[in-house]
Amino acid sequence: MKVLILGVNGFIGHSLTSRILRDSDWQVYGMDIGDDRITQYRGNPRFHFLEGDIAINREWIEYHVKKCDVVLPLVAIATPSAYVQDPLRVFELDFEENLRIVRDAVRYGTRVVFPSTSEIYGMCQDESFNEESSNLVLGPISKQRWIYSCSKQLLDRVIWAYGQQGLRFTLFRPFNWVGPNLDHIETAKEGSSRVVTQFLGHLMRGEPLRLVDGGAQRRCITDIRDGIDALMRILRNDGGGAEGRIFNVGNPRNDCSIAELADLLIDILAGYEPYKDLRKTAVVEKVSSEEYYGSGYQDIWTRVPDIRNAREQLGWEPRYDLHEALSHTVQYYIDRATP
Ligand code: UGA
């Protein structure tokens, strides 16, 4: 199988590439503006890479969408501070650029595996979010935090509609996937990366952690190894179970508050010699979301996936608990920390 991954150097893109090259005989064609996460695959004869911007290299993309069996358009801005600070950029990249790729897939009959998002459910009040029955609840327009969710939602709907005209597709919704190389933590400015890496960077540099609005909001932290396992099942599509479906890919058992997450990260880091006093020295501050993100922010208080679809159609089950997911992530950054 020939797999086209746009955004191959991203967190999901490079993790998926690694698994494909290890566990299958598939060819990977990839594009990205950077290559720091994929340097180790560059010599592999089954890995074909072009360094470039998806907004510029349109002919290369069209040619490869035609040539490949499946395309994963993974290029997107996915950090909440960017939704608030640069909403138009989020719309242009996450929606407009990806729509063009979806249309190429329609033109050439190529299967699309598209990253929707857990954010799509917004402030839904359901105990767990179901792909077929949960409402998608977003705040007012002035709360630009929702432009990401809204852009993804519209693309989900467009892909679904093309599906009714024959496009082969699967939508997957990651719920806070974490793992090695999630974000660059060395230079992580406030709000520039996702919470786990944001906290890790602060702790490793001896800076205070900041709990937005008290840290009672909850997330289900999912190990990237489980996420990639689900993606491999979707790509293999044994028995056609992934065809025309939406899958939440998250671990409902790893539900924790952001304050608990901070404590757990402190505990895990304190297990390493340079950080052994962290339980005593770590400073955890409270900050309002207005102060941290600005007035365009609104939060999601609980976000638990219903994963019956993935269990039944893909035979998938998340295996890594919260502690394992975080320890695996921490170990990666510890190994690369400059002494
Ligand atoms: C994320 C992002 O939108 C995407 O990466 C993705 O689509 C999605 O969730 C997902 O992976 O499921 P969110 O979970 O809100 O959204 O983003 P984080 O930046 O990881 O923040 C999680 C929570 O921690 C938020 O409530 C935030 O306010 C809080 N936070 C973040 C803090 O309390 N302190 C910080 O320093 C950073």
Side-chain angles (χ1 to χ4, degrees):
M1 184 158 73
K2 296 191 189 75
V3 182
L4 174 59
I5 305 179
L6 302 166
V8 73
N9 189 54
F11 174 51
I12 298 178
H14 91 282
S15 309
L16 178 62
T17 299
S18 157
R19 190 74 67 88
I20 289 177
L21 295 176
R22 194 192 74 187
D23 289 355
S24 75
D25 60 1
W26 306 339
Q27 301 279 330
V28 176
Y29 295 82
M31 178 184 282
D32 206 296
I33 49 172
D35 69 351
D36 58 297
R37 289 183 173 107
I38 49 163
T39 43
Q40 68 271 38
Y41 316 129
R42 292 294 288 273
N44 189 309
R46 289 192 289 120
F47 183 64
H48 316 272
F49 177 67
L50 181 74
E51 188 167 331
D53 187 333
I54 60 160
I56 295 167
N57 297 279
R58 296 181 178 184
E59 281 178 18
W60 187 95
I61 293 177
E62 186 176 348
Y63 174 77
H64 284 84
V65 169
K66 188 174 174 191
K67 175 186 169 112
C68 290
D69 302 290
V70 58
V71 53
L72 293 102
L74 302 181
V75 175
I77 292 169
T79 44
S81 66
Y83 314 158
V84 176
Q85 282 161 22
D86 204 352
L88 284 177
R89 182 81 193 110
V90 173
F91 170 73
E92 287 158 7
L93 187 66
D94 296 20
F95 182 79
E96 289 189 305
E97 291 304 329
N98 283 296
L99 177 60
R100 221 171 15 78
I101 293 156
V102 169
R103 286 189 164 142
D104 284 344
V106 171
R107 189 169 311 124
Y108 297 110
T110 307
R111 186 176 168 221
V112 177
V113 174
F114 184 74
S116 179
T117 173
S118 62
E119 290 244 335
I120 215 150
Y121 298 103
M123 298 176 291
C124 178
Q125 302 278 313
D126 294 354
E127 232 167 77
S128 65
F129 300 161
N130 180 270
E131 300 92 334
E132 271 103 51
S133 61
S134 285
N135 288 325
L136 314 179
V137 184
L138 307 187
I141 301 303
S142 60
K143 300 294 178 190
Q144 288 286 37
R145 190 250 159 82
W146 304 115
I147 198 161
Y148 171 75
S149 172
C150 190
S151 298
K152 289 278 189 183
Q153 182 187 149
L154 189 52
L155 261 179
D156 281 11
R157 293 187 188 278
V158 167
I159 292 169
W160 186 272
Y162 278 127
Q164 289 175 326
Q165 297 178 359
L167 176 70
R168 295 183 58 215
F169 74 92
T170 306
L171 305 177
F172 66 98
R173 297 188 172 153
F175 279 65
N176 291 84
W177 291 9
V178 303
N181 230 335
L182 172 60
D183 292 297
H184 298 289
I185 62 166
E186 302 79 20
T187 52
K189 292 200 302 287
E190 208 101 275
S192 69
S193 62
R194 287 156 280 205
V195 66
V196 168
T197 28
Q198 188 74 45
F199 282 174
L200 260 182
H202 290 317
L203 289 170
M204 291 173 78
R205 289 190 297 270
E207 299 163 3
L209 295 191
R210 306 184 82 197
L211 291 180
V212 173
D213 291 336
Q217 63 274 45
R218 306 183 73 83
R219 296 292 188 271
C220 288
I221 305 292
T222 306
D223 193 297
I224 184 78
R225 292 168 290 185
D226 283 327
I228 298 299
D229 182 35
L231 271 183
M232 291 299 282
R233 287 165 191 261
I234 288 170
L235 287 172
R236 280 194 206 100
N237 195 20
D238 292 336
E243 215 63 66
R245 287 194 173 267
I246 308 175
F247 296 108
N248 290 335
V249 182
N251 192 334
R253 289 186 300 275
N254 288 357
D255 185 20
C256 68
S257 74
I258 299 303
E260 288 161 358
L261 180 71
D263 285 344
L264 202 47
L265 281 172
I266 291 169
D267 273 352
I268 292 171
L269 261 183
Y272 294 89
E273 179 61 26
Y275 306 101
K276 64 180 187 330
D277 297 326
L278 204 57
R279 283 191 200 88
K280 278 179 262 154
T281 57
V283 178
V284 181
E285 295 171 350
K286 293 194 174 165
V287 59
S288 73
S289 53
E290 168 102 32
E291 205 183 317
Y292 191 91
Y293 289 106
S295 62
Y297 186 76
Q298 218 171 11
D299 213 333
I300 295 133
W301 289 92
T302 61
R303 183 155 84 186
V304 179
D306 175 341
I307 54 170
R308 270 173 299 178
N309 258 350
R311 276 192 183 121
E312 286 164 16
Q313 302 301 326
L314 304 174
W316 176 79
E317 186 68 41
R319 288 177 300 160
Y320 297 97
D321 68 22
L322 184 58
H323 198 274
E324 288 169 319
L326 295 177
S327 304
H328 186 230
T329 308
V330 169
Q331 184 68 52
Y332 171 86
Y333 288 103
I334 290 281
D335 289 345
R336 276 147 196 85
T338 40

Coordinates of all heavy atoms in Angstrom, one line a residue, residues 222-265:
T222 N -4.3 10.2 26.3 CA -4.2 9.0 25.6 C -2.7 8.8 25.1 O -2.1 9.7 24.5 CB -5.1 9.0 24.4 OG1 -6.4 9.3 24.9 CG2 -5.1 7.7 23.6
D223 N -2.2 7.6 25.3 CA -0.9 7.3 24.9 C -0.8 7.2 23.3 O -1.6 6.5 22.7 CB -0.4 6.0 25.5 CG 1.1 5.7 25.4 OD1 1.6 5.6 24.2 OD2 1.7 5.6 26.4
I224 N 0.2 7.9 22.8 CA 0.3 7.9 21.3 C 0.4 6.4 20.7 O 0.0 6.2 19.6 CB 1.6 8.7 20.8 CG1 1.7 8.8 19.3 CG2 2.9 8.2 21.4 CD1 0.8 9.7 18.6
R225 N 1.0 5.5 21.5 CA 1.1 4.1 21.0 C -0.2 3.5 20.8 O -0.5 2.8 19.9 CB 1.9 3.3 22.0 CG 3.4 3.7 22.1 CD 4.1 3.1 23.3 NE 3.7 3.6 24.6 CZ 4.3 3.3 25.7 NH1 5.3 2.5 25.8 NH2 3.8 3.9 26.9
D226 N -1.2 3.9 21.7 CA -2.6 3.4 21.5 C -3.2 4.1 20.3 O -3.9 3.5 19.5 CB -3.4 3.7 22.7 CG -3.2 2.7 23.8 OD1 -2.9 1.5 23.5 OD2 -3.2 3.0 25.0
G227 N -2.9 5.4 20.2 CA -3.5 6.2 19.0 C -3.0 5.6 17.7 O -3.8 5.4 16.8
I228 N -1.7 5.3 17.6 CA -1.1 4.8 16.4 C -1.7 3.4 16.1 O -1.9 3.0 15.0 CB 0.4 4.8 16.4 CG1 0.9 6.3 16.6 CG2 1.0 4.1 15.2 CD1 0.5 7.2 15.4
D229 N -1.9 2.6 17.2 CA -2.5 1.3 17.0 C -3.9 1.4 16.3 O -4.2 0.7 15.4 CB -2.6 0.6 18.4 CG -3.1 -0.8 18.3 OD1 -2.8 -1.5 17.3 OD2 -3.9 -1.2 19.2
A230 N -4.6 2.4 16.8 CA -6.0 2.6 16.1 C -5.8 3.0 14.7 O -6.5 2.5 13.8 CB -6.7 3.6 16.9
L231 N -4.8 3.9 14.4 CA -4.6 4.4 13.1 C -4.2 3.2 12.1 O -4.6 3.2 11.0 CB -3.6 5.5 13.0 CG -4.1 6.9 13.2 CD1 -2.9 7.9 13.1 CD2 -5.1 7.2 12.2
M232 N -3.4 2.3 12.6 CA -2.9 1.2 11.8 C -4.1 0.3 11.5 O -4.2 -0.2 10.4 CB -1.8 0.4 12.5 CG -0.5 1.1 12.7 SD 0.3 1.5 11.1 CE 1.0 -0.1 10.6
R233 N -5.0 0.1 12.4 CA -6.2 -0.7 12.2 C -7.1 0.0 11.1 O -7.7 -0.7 10.3 CB -7.0 -0.9 13.5 CG -6.3 -1.9 14.4 CD -6.8 -1.9 15.8 NE -6.0 -2.7 16.7 CZ -6.2 -3.9 17.1 NH1 -7.3 -4.5 16.7 NH2 -5.4 -4.5 17.9
I234 N -7.2 1.3 11.2 CA -8.0 2.1 10.3 C -7.4 1.9 8.9 O -8.1 1.7 7.9 CB -8.1 3.6 10.7 CG1 -9.0 3.7 11.9 CG2 -8.6 4.4 9.5 CD1 -9.0 5.1 12.5
L235 N -6.0 2.0 8.8 CA -5.4 1.9 7.5 C -5.5 0.5 6.9 O -5.8 0.4 5.7 CB -3.9 2.3 7.6 CG -3.6 3.8 7.8 CD1 -2.2 4.1 8.1 CD2 -4.1 4.6 6.6
R236 N -5.4 -0.5 7.8 CA -5.5 -1.9 7.3 C -6.9 -2.1 6.8 O -7.2 -2.9 5.9 CB -5.1 -2.9 8.4 CG -3.6 -3.0 8.5 CD -3.3 -4.3 9.3 NE -2.0 -4.1 9.9 CZ -1.8 -3.7 11.2 NH1 -2.8 -3.5 12.0 NH2 -0.6 -3.5 11.6
N237 N -7.9 -1.6 7.6 CA -9.3 -1.7 7.3 C -9.7 -3.1 7.0 O -10.5 -3.4 6.0 CB -9.5 -0.8 6.0 CG -11.0 -0.5 5.8 OD1 -11.8 -0.7 6.7 ND2 -11.4 -0.1 4.6
D238 N -9.3 -4.1 7.8 CA -9.7 -5.5 7.7 C -11.2 -5.6 7.8 O -11.8 -5.1 8.7 CB -9.0 -6.3 8.8 CG -7.5 -6.4 8.6 OD1 -7.0 -6.2 7.5 OD2 -6.8 -6.6 9.6
G239 N -11.8 -6.2 6.8 CA -13.2 -6.4 6.8 C -14.0 -5.2 6.5 O -15.2 -5.2 6.7
G240 N -13.3 -4.1 6.2 CA -14.0 -2.8 5.8 C -14.6 -2.1 7.0 O -15.5 -1.2 6.8
G241 N -14.3 -2.5 8.2 CA -14.9 -1.9 9.4 C -14.6 -0.4 9.6 O -15.4 0.3 10.3
A242 N -13.6 0.2 8.9 CA -13.3 1.6 9.0 C -14.0 2.5 8.0 O -14.0 3.7 8.1 CB -11.8 1.8 8.9
E243 N -14.7 1.8 7.0 CA -15.2 2.5 5.9 C -16.4 3.5 6.2 O -17.4 3.1 6.8 CB -15.8 1.4 4.9 CG -15.6 1.7 3.5 CD -14.2 1.8 3.0 OE1 -13.4 0.8 3.1 OE2 -13.8 2.9 2.6
G244 N -16.2 4.7 5.9 CA -17.3 5.7 6.1 C -17.6 5.9 7.5 O -18.8 6.3 7.8
R245 N -16.7 5.7 8.4 CA -17.0 5.9 9.9 C -16.2 6.9 10.6 O -15.2 7.4 10.1 CB -16.7 4.5 10.6 CG -17.7 3.5 10.2 CD -17.6 2.3 11.2 NE -18.7 1.4 11.0 CZ -19.9 1.4 11.6 NH1 -20.1 2.3 12.5 NH2 -20.8 0.6 11.3
I246 N -16.7 7.3 11.8 CA -16.0 8.2 12.6 C -15.6 7.5 13.9 O -16.4 6.7 14.5 CB -16.9 9.4 13.1 CG1 -17.5 10.1 11.8 CG2 -16.1 10.4 13.9 CD1 -18.5 11.2 12.1
F247 N -14.3 7.7 14.4 CA -13.9 7.0 15.6 C -13.3 8.0 16.6 O -12.3 8.7 16.2 CB -12.8 5.9 15.2 CG -13.3 4.8 14.3 CD1 -12.9 4.7 13.0 CD2 -14.1 3.9 14.8 CE1 -13.3 3.7 12.2 CE2 -14.6 2.8 14.0 CZ -14.2 2.7 12.7
N248 N -13.8 8.0 17.8 CA -13.1 8.6 18.9 C -11.9 7.7 19.2 O -12.1 6.5 19.4 CB -14.0 8.6 20.1 CG -15.2 9.6 20.0 OD1 -15.1 10.6 19.2 ND2 -16.2 9.4 20.7
V249 N -10.8 8.3 19.3 CA -9.6 7.5 19.7 C -9.0 8.2 21.0 O -8.2 9.1 20.9 CB -8.5 7.5 18.6 CG1 -7.4 6.6 19.0 CG2 -9.2 6.9 17.3
G250 N -9.5 7.7 22.1 CA -9.1 8.2 23.4 C -9.2 7.2 24.5 O -9.9 6.1 24.2
N251 N -8.6 7.4 25.6 CA -8.7 6.5 26.7 C -9.6 7.0 27.8 O -9.2 7.8 28.7 CB -7.3 6.2 27.2 CG -7.3 5.0 28.1 OD1 -8.3 4.7 28.8 ND2 -6.1 4.3 28.2
P252 N -10.8 6.5 27.9 CA -11.8 7.0 28.9 C -11.3 6.7 30.4 O -11.7 7.4 31.3 CB -13.1 6.2 28.6 CG -12.8 5.2 27.7 CD -11.4 5.5 27.1
R253 N -10.4 5.7 30.5 CA -9.9 5.4 31.9 C -8.9 6.4 32.3 O -8.5 6.4 33.5 CB -9.4 4.0 31.9 CG -10.5 2.9 31.8 CD -9.9 1.5 32.0 NE -8.9 1.2 31.0 CZ -9.2 0.7 29.8 NH1 -10.4 0.5 29.4 NH2 -8.2 0.4 28.9
N254 N -8.3 7.2 31.4 CA -7.3 8.1 31.8 C -7.8 9.5 32.1 O -7.1 10.5 31.8 CB -6.2 8.1 30.7 CG -5.4 6.9 30.7 OD1 -5.6 6.0 31.5 ND2 -4.4 6.8 29.7
D255 N -9.0 9.6 32.5 CA -9.7 10.9 32.8 C -9.0 11.5 34.0 O -9.0 10.9 35.1 CB -11.2 10.6 33.0 CG -12.0 11.8 33.2 OD1 -11.5 12.9 32.8 OD2 -13.1 11.7 33.7
C256 N -8.5 12.7 33.9 CA -7.9 13.4 35.1 C -8.1 14.9 35.0 O -8.3 15.4 33.9 CB -6.5 13.0 35.2 SG -5.4 13.7 34.0
S257 N -8.1 15.5 36.1 CA -8.1 17.0 36.1 C -6.7 17.5 35.8 O -5.7 16.8 35.9 CB -8.6 17.6 37.4 OG -7.6 17.5 38.4
I258 N -6.7 18.8 35.3 CA -5.4 19.4 35.0 C -4.5 19.5 36.2 O -3.3 19.4 36.2 CB -5.6 20.7 34.2 CG1 -6.4 20.4 32.9 CG2 -4.3 21.4 33.9 CD1 -5.7 19.5 31.9
A259 N -5.2 19.8 37.4 CA -4.4 19.9 38.6 C -3.8 18.5 39.0 O -2.6 18.4 39.4 CB -5.3 20.4 39.8
E260 N -4.6 17.4 38.8 CA -4.0 16.1 39.1 C -2.9 15.8 38.1 O -1.9 15.2 38.5 CB -5.1 15.0 38.9 CG -6.2 15.0 40.0 CD -7.5 14.3 39.6 OE1 -7.6 13.8 38.5 OE2 -8.4 14.3 40.5
L261 N -3.1 16.2 36.9 CA -2.0 16.0 35.9 C -0.7 16.7 36.3 O 0.4 16.1 36.2 CB -2.5 16.6 34.5 CG -1.6 16.4 33.3 CD1 -1.5 15.0 32.9 CD2 -2.0 17.3 32.2
A262 N -0.8 17.9 36.8 CA 0.4 18.6 37.3 C 1.0 17.8 38.4 O 2.3 17.6 38.4 CB 0.0 20.0 37.8
D263 N 0.2 17.3 39.4 CA 0.8 16.6 40.5 C 1.5 15.3 40.0 O 2.6 15.0 40.5 CB -0.3 16.2 41.5 CG -0.7 17.3 42.3 OD1 0.0 18.4 42.3 OD2 -1.8 17.3 42.9
L264 N 0.9 14.6 39.1 CA 1.4 13.4 38.6 C 2.8 13.6 37.9 O 3.7 12.9 38.0 CB 0.4 12.7 37.7 CG 0.5 11.2 37.4 CD1 0.7 10.5 38.7 CD2 -0.8 10.8 36.7
L265 N 2.8 14.7 37.1 CA 4.0 15.0 36.3 C 5.2 15.3 37.3 O 6.3 14.9 37.1 CB 3.8 16.1 35.4 CG 3.1 15.8 34.1 CD1 2.8 17.0 33.2 CD2 4.0 14.8 33.2

